[in-house]
């Protein structure tokens, strides 16, 4: 099978000798963001005990996630405008400054504010690392680096809770932030010393402006700062509405309606600003090109369905199976063990049948696994959901990686940062929508079984001593959530079958003609 080949795509001039240290630096940077959530979540009891703020501690995660998500498109465009290296270095420095400030926090409000600073740097790390990974390796070798990055997430999911518990229990919770500093400094040195980027070529808009000025243009890249502010404000309002709706206030209350209304109004303003910008942060071609649009929709659905295992499975394992928090985490970690393996092997599949069909096979298998979860016996054995998570991770490895590698291979170097950021942005937004949607589903099922307006979060204290009625209610609630996740998988499958082209229009890379990638 040969994907369609079009124009030539440039790659950076990093030598093979320097590629290994750069990859090590990228893995360290990715480790900073991968460990962040799992380490902090384990130390929450110690943090609250020291600083107080029990009613608002959830913003330690919500504020960070919001900052990461709304900055992804901005950093993606900056990568294409100024290069990956300065953006990654600036983002890492900002993340480390935020970590140092978090360690010095004096109350919960200051810690939340500094977590947002961390998130502003984290938005640069996630998208830029993925973009550089695509720059470093030719198409047939990209699964190697992607598998290494996936292994970082797998390791973090297992080691993070243990590391957070040890640091908080035997040292001080502030060390969970201070430990970022030596890791980040080593990563900065590796990237700064060994990463070499090609000279930036002007975008079509810049070239047109230069020719219109008789060739006397300074050639300075333009930045759509108005669009960046509009996107940031729109995303902030929308994600705040999704994260806090049904938790801090009812969905149909004035705060929710006001936030959603403001977000939609700002979205309309953002579209107007972006249409008039010479170099928009989110250019129109992101949605006009079928391949990119289909991948954005499919990975948005992936973010949606991932809420079911990552958010609700630990509660299921504790309430229904009677496991402790650590054992419940290991049930979920089965997914992260198989995901990197199938991701690394996926190139042997998509080189034969293509990116789209490989992803279709992966998401179809994931759909079947998600549909099987509600069929598990009550109360069941821990190996049963663990086996399903192992299968789910394997299926999603065949789904996500071919789409990311494939869509990155359809754009030239000058558009790769924007494209990668749009994919990650859609996945993050899907995750936020999924948390709100499936949270409402779970709470509705619980209320139907237990009566009243029961919320899953409010039952956390009772999981250790759950009676049979509560266990059956949680089992039913999580089962409905997994059915919803199966619906999200069906949406991803539909996007690939209806929107995506049969063959991805892969660009020919410099120094290498490839038709079968």
């Amino acid at each position: 099978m040969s994907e369609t080949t079009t124009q030539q795509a440039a790659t950076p001039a990093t030598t093979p000798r320097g590629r290994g240290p750069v990859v090590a630096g990228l893995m360290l940077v990715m480790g900073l963001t991968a460990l962040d959530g799992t380490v902090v979540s384990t130390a929450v009891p110690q943090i609250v005990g020291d600083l107080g703020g029990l009613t608002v501690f959830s913003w330690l995660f919500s504020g960070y996630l919001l900052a990461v998500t709304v900055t992804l498109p901005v950093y993606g465009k900056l990568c294409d405008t100024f290069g990956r290296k300065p953006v990654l270095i600036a983002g890492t420095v900002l993340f480390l400054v935020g970590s140092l400030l978090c360690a010095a926090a004096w109350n919960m409000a200051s810690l939340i504010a500094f977590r947002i600073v961390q998130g502003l740097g984290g938005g640069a790390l996630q998208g830029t690392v993925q973009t550089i990974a695509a720059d470093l390796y030719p198409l047939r070798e990209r699964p190697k680096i992607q598998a290494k990055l996936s292994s970082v997430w797998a390791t973090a999911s297992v080691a993070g809770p243990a590391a957070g518990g040890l640091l908080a229990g035997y040292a001080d919770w502030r060390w969970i932030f201070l430990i970022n500093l030596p890791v980040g400094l080593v990563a900065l040195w590796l990237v700064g010393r060994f990463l070499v980027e090609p000279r930036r070529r002007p975008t079509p808009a810049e070239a047109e402006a230069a020719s219109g000025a008789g060739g006397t243009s300074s050639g300075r890249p333009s930045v759509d700062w108005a669009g960046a502010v509009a996107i940031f404000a729109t995303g902030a309002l929308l994600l705040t509405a999704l994260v806090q709706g049904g938790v801090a206030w009812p969905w149909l209350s004035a705060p929710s309606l006001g936030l959603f209304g403001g977000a939609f109004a700002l979205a309309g303003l953002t579209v107007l600003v972006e249409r008039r910008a010479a170099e928009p942060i989110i250019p129109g071609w992101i949605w006009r090109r079928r391949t990119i649009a289909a991948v954005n929709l499919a990975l948005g659905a992936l973010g949606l369905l991932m809420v079911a295992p990552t958010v609700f499975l630990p509660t299921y394992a504790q309430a229904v199976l009677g496991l402790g928090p650590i054992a419940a985490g290991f049930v979920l970690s089965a997914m992260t063990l198989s995901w990197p393996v199938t991701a690394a092997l996926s190139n042997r599949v998509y080189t034969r049948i293509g990116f789209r069909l490989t992803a279709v096979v992966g998401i179809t298998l994931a759909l079947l696994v998600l549909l099987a979860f509600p069929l598990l016996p009550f109360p069941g054995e821990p190996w049963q959901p663990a086996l399903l998570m192992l299968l789910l991770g394997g299926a999603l490895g065949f789904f996500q990686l071919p789409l990311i590698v494939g869509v990155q291979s359809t754009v030239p170097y000058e558009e790769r940062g924007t494209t990668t950021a749009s994919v990650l942005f859609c996945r993050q937004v899907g995750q936020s929508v999924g948390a709100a949607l499936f949270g409402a589903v779970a709470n509705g099922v619980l209320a139907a079984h237990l009566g009243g307006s029961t919320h899953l979060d409010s039952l956390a204290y009772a999981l250790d001593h759950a009676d049979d009625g509560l266990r059956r209610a949680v089992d039913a609630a999580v089962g409905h959530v997994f059915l919803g996740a199966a619906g999200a998988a069906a949406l991803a499958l539909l996007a690939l079958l209806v929107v995506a082209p049969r063959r991805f229009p892969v660009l020919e890379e410099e120094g290498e003609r490839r038709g079968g990638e």
Side-chain angles (χ1 to χ4, degrees):
M1 204 290 301
S2 297
E3 300 284 354
T4 304
T5 324
T6 57
Q7 58 180 306
Q8 195 177 69
T11 53
T14 300
T15 63
R17 183 183 65 84
R19 197 163 62 177
V22 173
V23 171
L26 295 181
M27 293 178 70
L28 289 175
V29 170
M30 185 64 77
L32 292 175
T33 58
L35 281 169
D36 183 83
T38 55
V39 171
V40 174
S41 61
T42 308
V44 163
Q46 288 77 14
I47 295 174
V48 172
D50 188 15
L51 301 180
L54 177 63
T55 58
V56 295
F57 84 89
S58 63
W59 272 99
L60 291 176
F61 310 98
S62 301
Y64 178 86
L65 176 64
L66 186 151
V68 167
T69 304
V70 299
T71 55
L72 272 170
V74 177
Y75 284 125
K77 184 61 179 180
L78 292 178
C79 276
D80 290 338
T81 303
F82 297 105
R84 290 55 154 140
K85 186 174 180 177
V87 173
L88 181 59
I89 289 175
T92 304
V93 170
L94 185 56
F95 185 91
L96 296 180
V97 169
S99 299
L100 185 60
L101 292 172
C102 285
W106 55 91
N107 57 28
M108 186 61 74
S110 64
L111 182 57
I112 290 171
F114 298 148
R115 282 282 289 167
I116 293 174
V117 174
Q118 257 193 321
L120 294 176
L125 305 188
Q126 289 196 19
T128 311
V129 166
Q130 294 283 357
T131 303
I132 295 175
D135 293 340
L136 286 175
Y137 287 84
L139 182 54
R140 68 164 61 96
E141 297 181 32
R142 281 177 195 156
K144 297 179 181 178
I145 178 62
Q146 292 290 349
K148 291 179 180 178
L149 295 178
S150 297
S151 69
V152 172
W153 286 96
T155 303
S157 67
V158 176
L166 288 173
L167 289 172
Y170 295 97
D172 187 276
W173 64 264
R174 298 177 191 273
W175 279 101
I176 67 177
F177 299 108
L178 291 175
I179 199 68
N180 291 334
L181 300 181
V183 176
L185 290 174
V186 173
L188 282 173
W189 181 81
L190 290 171
V191 172
R193 173 68 177 82
F194 292 99
L195 179 60
V196 180
E197 293 191 285
R199 180 176 299 177
R200 179 183 180 273
R201 294 184 292 195
T203 64
E206 291 169 355
E208 182 180 351
S211 62
T216 60
S217 173
S218 64
R220 294 179 182 176
S222 60
V223 179
D224 176 25
W225 293 116
V229 172
I231 292 168
F232 190 94
T234 303
L237 288 184
L238 178 60
L239 291 178
T240 301
L242 290 172
V243 169
Q244 293 298 300
V247 179
W249 47 70
W251 283 110
L252 297 179
S253 65
S256 278
L257 296 177
L259 285 171
F260 279 118
F264 286 124
L266 283 175
L269 177 63
T270 301
V271 172
L272 294 177
V273 170
E274 293 294 84
R275 283 183 174 178
R276 296 181 180 181
E279 289 292 334
I281 297 295
I282 302 180
W285 52 260
I286 286 292
W287 294 105
R288 288 195 297 269
R289 299 180 190 177
R290 289 179 59 193
T291 304
I292 302 176
V295 172
N296 282 342
L297 293 172
L299 290 190
L302 172 64
L304 192 72
L305 74 86
M306 282 300 295
V307 171
T310 57
V311 176
F312 292 92
L313 185 62
T315 300
Y316 171 89
Q318 293 179 67
V320 178
L321 302 179
L323 302 178
I326 296 178
F330 279 114
V331 172
L332 175 60
S333 69
M335 179 176 65
T336 65
L337 298 177
S338 57
W339 193 320
V341 175
T342 54
L345 296 174
S346 64
N347 68 320
R348 300 184 181 183
V349 181
Y350 66 66
T351 52
R352 289 173 172 79
I353 66 175
F355 295 115
R356 174 178 174 267
L357 189 53
T358 303
V360 166
V361 171
I363 197 61
T364 301
L365 294 175
L367 172 60
L368 296 176
V369 173
L370 292 167
L371 287 174
F373 189 91
L375 302 178
L376 291 177
F378 176 87
E381 299 293 334
W383 66 265
Q384 295 168 332
L387 176 61
L388 289 184
M389 291 305 100
L390 193 70
L391 296 174
L392 181 62
L396 294 179
F398 280 117
F399 169 68
Q400 177 178 262
L401 183 62
L403 292 183
I404 292 179
V405 172
V407 78
Q408 288 176 329
S409 304
T410 66
V411 294
Y413 176 82
E414 295 78 12
E415 297 176 351
R416 194 173 288 155
T418 300
T419 301
T420 303
S422 74
V423 168
L424 298 179
F425 174 75
C426 289
R427 190 178 65 185
Q428 292 282 88
V429 171
Q431 189 173 353
S432 298
V433 172
L437 177 62
F438 294 150
V441 169
N443 292 333
V445 174
L446 284 174
H449 279 73
L450 302 176
S453 55
T454 305
H455 288 260
L456 191 61
D457 292 339
S458 67
L459 296 176
Y461 71 93
L463 295 183
D464 291 337
H465 306 286
D467 59 24
D468 187 70
L470 176 57
R471 295 171 68 191
R472 290 187 178 277
V474 173
D475 179 65
V478 176
H480 279 74
V481 167
F482 270 83
L483 286 177
L491 290 176
L493 178 61
L494 188 64
L496 293 176
L497 294 177
V498 175
V499 182
R502 290 176 61 88
R503 298 178 186 270
F504 283 19
V506 174
L507 303 187
E508 181 181 343
E509 297 176 333
E510 280 187 5
E512 186 174 1
R513 295 178 62 86
R514 64 182 80 252
E517 308 288 4

